[in-house]
Structures are given as structure tokens and as C-alpha cells.
Amino acid sequence: MQSALRLSRSSVGTNPLNHLCSSLAASPPRFVSVEELMETAKGVTNMALAHEILVNHTFQVKPPELPEGSLERRVKEIMHKAFWDCLEAQMKEDPPTYGHAIKLLAEVKETLLSFLLPGHGRLRTRIDEVLDLPLIQQQAENGVLDIGQLSQFIVEMMGSLCAPCRDEDINKLKEITDIVPLLKAIFSMLDLMKVDMANFAVTSLRPHLMQQSVEYERSKFQEFLEKQPNALDYTEKWLEDTVKCLREAEADGSGAAASSDPPSLLPLTVHNHAYLRLLRWDHASDPFPETVLMDQVRFQEMQQEAERLALLCSVLLVVYTTTGDAISGLPGLMETLKNTVSVILADMHTPSYSAQEALATIGEKLCVELSQCLSQHGYSPFSADRKNILRSQISATVHPDNSVRKLMDSRVQSYFLASLEFSQHKTPPALPGGLAPVGRELKELAVRFSRLVIFNKLVFSPFYQKILHKILTGGGESP
């Protein structure tokens, strides 16, 4: 009856071990023993778990939920029904047979003891005295075992150990009089209490983990690297490609000839731009760098949010540019238009979302709102020609190479880059023009991005320094 626990996040995750192992396919195989593989897997799993607890403050352990109609769910339901039916049949015998019941009491005792803290000496003694299994066995053999009394003791003990949020559930247990339903409900409640205890342990562990996390993750990754020397291949490519892009951009900007010496780059500049590239990553085709793999879901979420904010600003810029000065000073209009657009763009990264249809809908809704607003403030009506122009320009932002959208994307990226530099200079970056409507959201996103980057740098700085030194001195850059 022991319940398995699974680790849950609010978003879809990626298995770090699978990705790390798949990253080795590009290099010649190295034969390893099963013991080595299992040891490596355990180290990566522990590192990923510790990292998740640290950076994800909403991290929780949740009970398993097998899919409705799945084979596993049906097998579990059949086995549980068979067990409880057998227990009920034994309890109805004359005299009752207590074989199954005693096994349940033993498991309940073990679970209750597992909830106790070192200072719970009196509770431990009390549980040992009341749930004395040899004594219970003797009572069963002599026909004097009172399962109902033991069950009530268990419920009372659970009430003293459970979280306050479970008090109502405990009270409901006290209302059950039939033994088998009561035992069944007790086990369901114990499963929930195990989850509560696990989450309490996670919360208690986090402050201590923060003190040791950098050294712990670095040492675990070093152990993994010693067993799999090619475990930094994608990280090296990520940094090499960043250097190549920066040198090409500098060369184009300065008009330097292809044969001239490559522009000099600072490691910090390369590193910050490399992190910025993670917010424009093609997750479907490009393997994610190993050193940021455990945060791939978080970077992808931030990338999607940044894209949504850039498109939102693009639409609002089109509106204010097309409509002119008539609406520029109207109080509350910007927030109204922003809310309208935000609602429609909220699901823009879901598979069934049609950006073209969404932008067409936005165009129609904004034309209606603008017409009403202009009429209310005594301005000339919104003409049909201006409506058509506005709808057309809003729909055009569906294309990533649209001039307005490219401008907003570029300014969002510049702001994120400035936020990384702000972490060194302690000067808050100024918000680029056109991004004021989403200033609050963008600042919050930049803070999340910067914190994740700073922690990643602390953990993997020795590896990054070696790679960047090799690339920037010409010893390892790809042709």
C-alpha cells in the first residue's frame, strides 16, 4: 500500500539525464559497465533534483496520478479491490481472520514512526506500546483483538501529526464506523500525509541547499564529466557559434576585410551574448548546451514570454503610429488596448494557435475600441480607410521580419543584455523606447533571467573559462 511519489513542475519538463546521455551520440562510443552507467545516472539525477529544489520555489512533490483508462490504472484498481474485498471477507468470518489486518497495522505503525522527529520520544513510545505487533498477534489468536479501538488510536495519532490543512479530513475519518472503509480511508490519508511530509522536508532543505548548491552542482557535473569526457560538446559549440556571430557582426559594422585579424572580444561579452542567444533558441532542432540543460524549460518559458511581450508592443506601436496624436494623451486607453491584446496573445505558443487569425481578431477589436474612444472624446470618427490600414499593419506583424516587430524584438533583446551588464555595474538599465506599456512585465522577466544566468555562471565558471580561453586564443574555434 506504499504510495510512490513523483516530482512535479507546473510546466512541461525535460529529462536532464536523457538529454545528457543523448548528447554523447556525436562522439565515438566509450564502453562502460552497467555499474558505471547507474552511478552516473544517480549523480545526474541528484544534481537535477537539488537544482530544481533551489531555483524553482514552487517545486512540490505530488502523489502519482495514473492516466484514466490506462493499463497501469486498471491493474492498480483491480489489485486494490481484490485486497480490500479479501480483508472484508476475513473480517466477516466467524471467528474473524486477522491476517491481512495485522499486516496493515504493521505498515501503519511503520508509516507513523516515519513521521516522527527526533524530539518525539513520547509519541514513539506510545505508538510502540499500542501497536505492539506480537501482542496484537496474541490477541488475534485468542479472539480478543479490537481492531476498531486500534483504528481510533491511529486516527487520533494521525490528527496529532498531520498538517493543519488535513484537520477536516481527520474529522471525517472519525465519523466512519465500519472497520474496512475506515482502514481504507486511513491509508488514503497516510498517502497524503507522506506527500505533506516530503514537501515539508523540501522547504526545510532549501535554505541549507542554497549554501552548498554551487559547490555541489559543480562537483557532481565534474564527476559526470570525468566519466563522459565529451559531455561539454554542445556547450563548446554554443560558445563557438556566439563568438563567430559577434565577430561577423563587428566585421560587418566596421567594414573590415575578410582577411584582416578577427576583432578582439572579451570573455564576459561573449558569455552574456551566449546567454542572450538562449532566448532565441530553436528547441526543436538544436541540442541545448549541457551546462544550462537543467534550466532549458525555464529558458524556453522566458523566451516565449519575451516573444509575446515584443509582439504586444509591436501591435501597440502600430496603433499609436497609425492613429496619430488624437489618442496619445487619453487616460487609461493604453491599458485598455494592452489588456485586449494580451488576452488574445496569451496562448500564442500553443500548438493549435493561429497567429494570423489572432492578429486579425485583434485588428477588429481595436478598431471598435478606438472608434468608441474617439467618439467619446469628441474627435473625428475613425474612417474606413484608417481602419483598413490599421488592420493591415497589425496583421503584418505576424511575420518575424516585419520592420516594427524586428525593432521591438531587438529592443527587448537589448534590454535583457543590459540587465546582465547591470548585475556587474549596479546601474538599472533604462527601458528602450516603445517598451513602456510592458515595462513592469519586462523588468520582472529580466530579473528572473539575470538570476538564472548569475547562478549558472557561479556553478560552471571553471568550465566556461577554459572553453572561452581556448576559443578566443584561436585554439578551438570551429572553422
Side-chain angles (χ1 to χ4, degrees), residues 124 249 373:
R124 185 179 302 275
C373 181

Side-chain angles (χ1 to χ4, degrees), residues 259-272:
S259 60
S260 62
D261 294 333
S264 59
L265 295 170
L266 296 176
L268 181 60
T269 301
V270 175
H271 210 180
N272 285 344

Side-chain angles (χ1 to χ4, degrees), residues 19 30 55 107 140 166 189 194 238 259 321 346 374 418 440:
H19 197 154
R30 183 176 78 88
V55 302
E107 188 169 338
R166 304 295 179 194
M189 178 58 59
K194 291 174 187 176
W238 166 50
S259 60
T321 302
L374 289 173
R440 178 180 56 81

Side-chain angles (χ1 to χ4, degrees), residues 21 315 424:
C21 291
V315 171
Q424 279 87 35

Side-chain angles (χ1 to χ4, degrees), residues 44 51 70 139 170 180-181 210 218 231 277 301 310 313 363 412 475:
V44 173
H51 182 82
S70 65
Q139 291 174 340
I170 294 294
V180 174
M210 289 183 67
R218 186 186 298 164
R277 290 181 61 228
E301 289 171 348
C313 286
V412 168

